[in-house]
Amino acid sequence: MANTGNRYRGSITDYAGFDPNQDAEALYTAMKGFGSDKEAILELITSRSNKQRQEICQSYKSLYGKDLIDDLKYELTGKFERLIVGLMKPLAYFDAKEIKDAISGIGTDEKCLIEILASRTNKQIHQLVEAYKDAYERNLEEDVIADTSGHFKKMLVVLLQGTREEDDVVSEDLVAQDVKDLYEAGEQKWGTDEAQFIYILGNRSKQHLRLVFDEYLKTTGIPIEASIRGELSGDFEKLMLAVVKCIRSTSEYFAERLFKAMKGLGTRDNTLIRIMVSRSELDMLDIREVFRTKYEKSLYSMIKNDTSGEYKKALLKLCGGDDDAAGQFFPEAAKVAYQMWELSAVSRVELKGTVRPRPDFDPEADAKALRKAMKGLGTDEDTIIDIVTHRSNDQRQQIRQTFKSHFGRDLMADLKSEISGNLAKLILGLMMPPAHYDAKQLKKAMEGAGTDEQALIEILATRNNQEIQAINEAYQEDYHKSLEDDLTSDTSGHLKRILVSLATGNRDEGPENSDQAREDAQEIADTTSSGDKPSLETRFMSILCSRSYQHLRRVFQEFIKMTNHDVEHTIKKEMSGDVQDALVAIVQSVKNKPLFFADKLYKSMKGAGTDEKTLTRIMVSRSEIDLLNIRREFIEKYDKSLHHVIESDNSGDYLKALLALCGGED
């Protein structure tokens, strides 16, 4: 989301009643004597705009004949010093210092170069080049050329020219031509014509490129990001993705960078400092807004939980407010949320599996090859894996049939006796028709002591009406019982009501109804504020389990407009246990189903030990539906490919089979 009109979107403003001499004296006093008054220093510096800080530096020099930045460096240490000193420099000089640090010494900090050069405007780039020359008496372009290579270097040099078109008048013919050129340079070409990507993404105006990206998706069915991932690699790929993200929304790009800087173990403080310093007077309010909507927590609360001491206090001042606090109302958040969900709506992005029907399919040859792989001493697992993972489910059913006709044997029984463990579960799962596989997973989740509620939720919350009806029939056929009866006897309370409701497969399938959506959102909002938990669960259940996905997207948008809260955030706050998990699964599935599965896959492999049940279930059940989309969401969110995580977390024949289903390294 770009700056709205001429409204100021920074979190730091000019200090009213500003007196540079007075401030210079206050800082001198805070640093005099033994030990410095860090609290006074941070309080003063984070309450002044950059322009005012420059005046304080001049007054300090006039009053004491000393350099304020040198004194601050002497008095402060570590991350706090880096942050305060960063705030004292004009933005162009701050950027110049960050880039100098990124390219001096051994190794280059490519991520820093990418972040700065992909996100700055023409004017900021020109100021940066000047500041670099002034501060280091060197030419920035020459230094970047000496320190980088290949297409990555070429694109950085293009960005360093600061010549991106700024005209908002867009020619439809040129948009169509650029889409054609990008498609022919990448997806349609053997090898990639990187020069086309560099020329178009490095020079066209933001307005023009946004239309190019929309048109590219409409024409090819592939998001431009997916084409870049498929065609480019390494730092060049990362740079081009950053450029695309900044074209789409600079504030969303920085929200994501901040989130990644703080999530997981350890904080990437250099990134955190660089963004908080450089955006505090540009678009920090926009970044906060996107952050709150995208991650369902405020930037303020994440900084608070992830940092400490004076460093934390200074960062929170730059952040400028807690969007989880009552009274922090951002109507734009609704727009951002809606745009994000629309982007991931099934109607816009084509769902693709990684397993497709084999074109030269010969069931007889496959049946014979499988028989041979299992006959005699030892088993040829490689052949089994190769055939089963490279045929569609329909083709596998034909192989089963042919195997029976030819050898009078049951292929499933033979496979069971020849392979074991996780590999057997995966291969046998792939050999079952999808509805029978899901029915079996549900049955297993309810068998024996204890119920696997997560498996029940995952399957029932993500299947469409048609799939649910097929599962009911398969369940009845295989176990001579109704799925609903088993769910009723195996679960209880609100969870039982939610699962039974989902298991009827009666969700509306019509389009959204705007008036109804407002009423639904109002009902949830009213029940939430009443604090009556049982009726809140009932209300959520009746709406989330019965309305169409398209309609629910509109309900979520209306809800955020009314309350400044995301529905998912509200469920997490107001509910707990399995009921919370079930309702959150439905909401996430509505927002972006591939992302829901990407999260489940990541959690099944992170930390000590792997949850093979979940991993197998998702890889089997999504391989022909949307595993390619899941892969894209996975790398987008976790900065590593699904292929890579599977590879580092599994082994042996099970690993081979999983990687074959995964279908490629992103």
Side-chain angles (χ1 to χ4, degrees):
M1 188 171 61
N3 280 10
T4 327
N6 294 321
R7 282 188 308 134
Y8 180 71
R9 301 296 288 159
S11 53
I12 299 288
T13 50
D14 282 338
Y15 185 71
F18 171 62
D19 178 342
N21 286 340
Q22 208 178 321
D23 284 351
E25 283 172 28
L27 287 170
Y28 184 74
T29 309
M31 293 188 280
K32 232 171 57 181
F34 188 72
S36 50
D37 183 350
K38 297 187 181 65
E39 186 90 30
I41 295 171
L42 87 85
E43 193 58 46
L44 192 147
I45 289 174
T46 58
S47 307
R48 306 295 183 269
S49 66
N50 193 283
K51 192 163 114 303
Q52 292 175 332
R53 292 181 209 127
Q54 303 319 310
E55 289 183 49
I56 298 171
C57 281
Q58 279 167 344
S59 294
Y60 196 89
K61 191 70 161 253
S62 314
L63 288 169
Y64 306 107
K66 300 171 76 168
D67 184 304
L68 175 54
I69 291 185
D70 287 346
D71 280 6
L72 286 166
K73 276 184 184 165
Y74 180 77
E75 289 293 333
L76 310 175
T77 55
K79 298 174 287 202
F80 181 54
E81 176 211 331
R82 193 179 172 110
L83 178 66
I84 294 295
V85 168
L87 287 168
M88 293 309 297
K89 292 173 188 274
L91 181 61
Y93 285 82
F94 174 72
D95 277 351
K97 167 85 166 71
E98 289 293 304
I99 286 196
K100 185 83 174 82
D101 289 350
I103 52 182
S104 28
I106 300 167
T108 307
D109 180 356
E110 289 85 4
K111 283 186 173 169
C112 169
L113 290 180
I114 290 170
E115 181 198 295
I116 292 176
L117 296 180
S119 66
R120 302 305 191 247
T121 62
N122 288 346
K123 188 179 169 190
Q124 289 167 338
I125 294 278
H126 297 153
Q127 289 169 341
L128 158 64
V129 171
E130 287 300 311
Y132 192 90
K133 195 167 196 61
D134 182 43
Y136 306 110
E137 294 173 352
R138 298 176 65 91
N139 178 296
L140 176 53
E141 188 179 316
E142 284 170 13
D143 281 2
V144 166
I145 288 171
D147 209 66
T148 56
S149 62
H151 298 297
F152 178 57
K153 172 177 77 179
K154 286 178 195 158
M155 184 64 177
L156 289 176
V157 169
V158 167
L159 294 173
L160 273 170
Q161 305 316 300
T163 51
R164 184 177 295 291
E165 293 158 5
E166 289 179 330
D167 185 7
D168 274 353
V169 180
V170 176
S171 142
E172 285 181 21
D173 292 345
L174 188 57
V175 168
Q177 187 59 49
D178 281 351
V179 168
K180 184 170 177 283
D181 289 348
L182 285 171
Y183 186 62
E184 285 171 0
E187 294 285 344
Q188 223 176 21
K189 196 174 191 295
W190 181 254
T192 308
D193 178 1
E194 288 87 355
Q196 276 291 15
F197 278 87
I198 290 173
Y199 176 70
I200 294 171
L201 291 178
N203 290 289
R204 299 283 193 246
S205 75
K206 285 191 160 193
Q207 189 61 26
H208 173 87
L209 283 171
R210 283 184 198 120
L211 291 173
V212 169
F213 301 159
D214 288 348
E215 201 49 46
Y216 190 90
L217 180 61
K218 268 187 215 150
T219 312
T220 66
I222 305 163
I224 188 72
E225 291 88 343
S227 284
I228 289 172
R229 285 204 186 93
E231 299 299 325
L232 314 178
S233 61
D235 291 321
F236 179 47
E237 176 199 340
K238 288 184 187 128
L239 173 59
M240 296 309 251
L241 285 172
V243 168
V244 170
K245 278 180 182 161
C246 288
I247 298 290
R248 285 197 190 281
S249 162
T250 314
S251 38
E252 188 170 341
Y253 171 71
F254 282 115
E256 195 176 296
R257 293 275 298 154
L258 285 168
F259 181 73
K260 285 179 176 166
M262 291 181 282
K263 78 173 180 126
L265 282 172
T267 304
R268 295 174 197 165
D269 293 292
N270 287 0
T271 304
L272 180 55
I273 291 168
R274 189 168 54 244
I275 298 173
M276 296 306 287
V277 168
S278 65
R279 309 315 290 186
S280 57
E281 289 182 51
L282 293 172
D283 53 2
M284 186 55 72
L285 298 185
D286 291 331
I287 293 169
R288 271 168 47 182
E289 209 165 276
V290 175
F291 195 98
R292 174 70 183 73
T293 309
K294 194 165 178 168
Y295 302 111
E296 284 138 18
K297 60 179 90 170
S298 65
L299 174 59
Y300 190 94
S301 65
M302 196 152 181
I303 291 172
K304 199 169 158 184
N305 296 330
D306 216 67
T307 56
S308 60
E310 276 90 13
Y311 174 53
K312 168 166 89 174
K313 284 180 192 159
L315 287 170
L316 291 177
K317 290 272 293 187
L318 293 180
C319 180
D322 185 358
D323 306 316
D324 284 340
Q328 290 284 358
F329 184 70
F330 285 135
E332 284 99 339
K335 207 165 100 191
V336 179
Y338 196 54
Q339 281 166 350
M340 280 166 12
W341 301 335
E342 283 294 283
L343 254 177
S344 63
V346 172
S347 57
R348 292 280 300 276
V349 177
E350 192 187 344
L351 295 178
K352 282 188 178 168
T354 51
V355 174
R356 298 178 188 88
R358 190 178 173 90
D360 55 350
F361 175 56
D362 179 348
E364 200 170 314
D366 285 347
K368 284 179 179 164
L370 285 171
R371 175 80 178 122
K372 190 179 168 194
M374 295 186 283
K375 240 169 74 176
L377 272 174
T379 307
D380 176 0
E381 282 90 357
D382 285 349
T383 298
I384 296 172
I385 292 168
D386 186 51
I387 292 175
V388 175
T389 59
H390 291 100
R391 307 293 182 270
S392 69
N393 197 279
D394 283 348
Q395 291 176 334
R396 292 181 207 127
Q397 302 318 312
Q398 291 180 54
I399 298 171
R400 280 177 72 173
Q401 202 60 58
T402 309
F403 197 88
K404 190 69 164 255
S405 320
H406 260 68
F407 307 110
R409 302 173 67 93
D410 180 345
L411 176 54
M412 296 291 272
D414 280 7
L415 285 167
K416 254 186 208 163
S417 66
E418 291 293 329
I419 53 178
S420 61
N422 290 321
L423 177 67
K425 289 183 180 125
L426 186 73
I427 295 293
L428 291 164
L430 289 167
M431 292 305 301
M432 296 175 80
H436 289 266
Y437 179 70
D438 279 348
K440 184 173 185 191
Q441 297 307 304
L442 290 168
K443 180 79 175 139
K444 278 183 128 157
M446 295 184 281
E447 263 172 2
T451 304
D452 181 353
E453 287 86 3
Q454 290 303 315
L456 297 177
I457 291 167
E458 178 205 301
I459 295 170
L460 294 172
T462 58
R463 306 304 192 249
N464 62 33
N465 287 349
Q466 221 178 335
E467 289 166 335
I468 294 277
Q469 279 146 19
I471 292 170
N472 276 304
E473 284 166 26
Y475 199 94
Q476 185 69 49
E477 189 186 320
D478 294 346
Y479 308 111
H480 311 296
K481 289 166 116 171
S482 88
L483 172 58
E484 191 181 319
D485 288 350
D486 277 1
L487 285 169
T488 305
S489 59
D490 208 69
T491 56
S492 61
H494 278 288
L495 178 67
K496 171 170 82 179
R497 291 168 59 199
I498 293 168
L499 295 176
V500 167
S501 174
L502 292 172
T504 57
N506 273 334
R507 186 181 289 288
D508 290 343
E509 289 183 336
E512 65 183 64
N513 171 336
S514 302
D515 295 339
Q516 178 70 57
R518 272 190 294 278
E519 277 174 41
D520 287 346
Q522 193 64 61
E523 259 189 71
I524 300 175
D526 292 346
T527 325
T528 306
S529 56
S530 76
D532 178 357
K533 202 171 158 197
S535 58
L536 182 62
E537 290 175 346
T538 305
R539 184 57 51 234
F540 264 109
M541 186 191 99
S542 66
I543 292 170
L544 291 179
C545 295
S546 64
R547 307 281 194 261
S548 74
Y549 270 27
Q550 214 176 335
H551 178 82
L552 284 172
R553 275 190 198 101
R554 174 69 69 186
V555 175
F556 299 165
Q557 188 202 9
E558 294 297 337
F559 184 81
I560 212 169
K561 268 188 200 164
M562 289 170 190
T563 64
N564 191 32
H565 281 282
D566 184 278
V567 165
E568 188 177 333
H569 184 83
T570 301
I571 292 170
K572 285 175 176 166
K573 202 166 139 209
E574 301 292 335
M575 297 175 200
S576 58
D578 296 326
V579 172
Q580 182 198 80
D581 292 344
L583 295 176
V584 164
I586 298 169
V587 171
Q588 289 178 343
S589 196
V590 169
K591 282 185 186 176
N592 183 340
K593 201 177 285 186
L595 179 58
F596 168 77
F597 283 115
D599 281 341
K600 296 281 284 183
L601 284 170
Y602 181 74
K603 285 172 185 153
S604 75
M605 292 181 279
K606 77 168 193 164
T610 305
D611 171 4
E612 284 92 357
K613 268 187 193 170
T614 302
L615 177 56
T616 302
R617 185 171 60 242
I618 296 174
M619 295 299 285
V620 168
S621 63
R622 307 315 294 181
S623 57
E624 280 181 70
I625 300 173
D626 54 2
L627 191 50
L628 197 58
N629 307 74
I630 293 168
R631 265 170 45 185
R632 285 174 188 159
E633 295 292 349
F634 195 99
I635 194 165
E636 180 77 25
K637 181 157 180 187
Y638 297 109
D639 267 347
K640 21 180 135 161
S641 68
L642 177 58
H643 186 284
H644 170 77
V645 175
I646 288 174
E647 201 168 29
S648 38
D649 216 65
N650 300 279
S651 60
D653 292 322
Y654 178 55
L655 169 65
K656 282 183 199 164
L658 286 171
L659 292 181
L661 286 181
C662 182
E665 167 70 284
D666 296 304

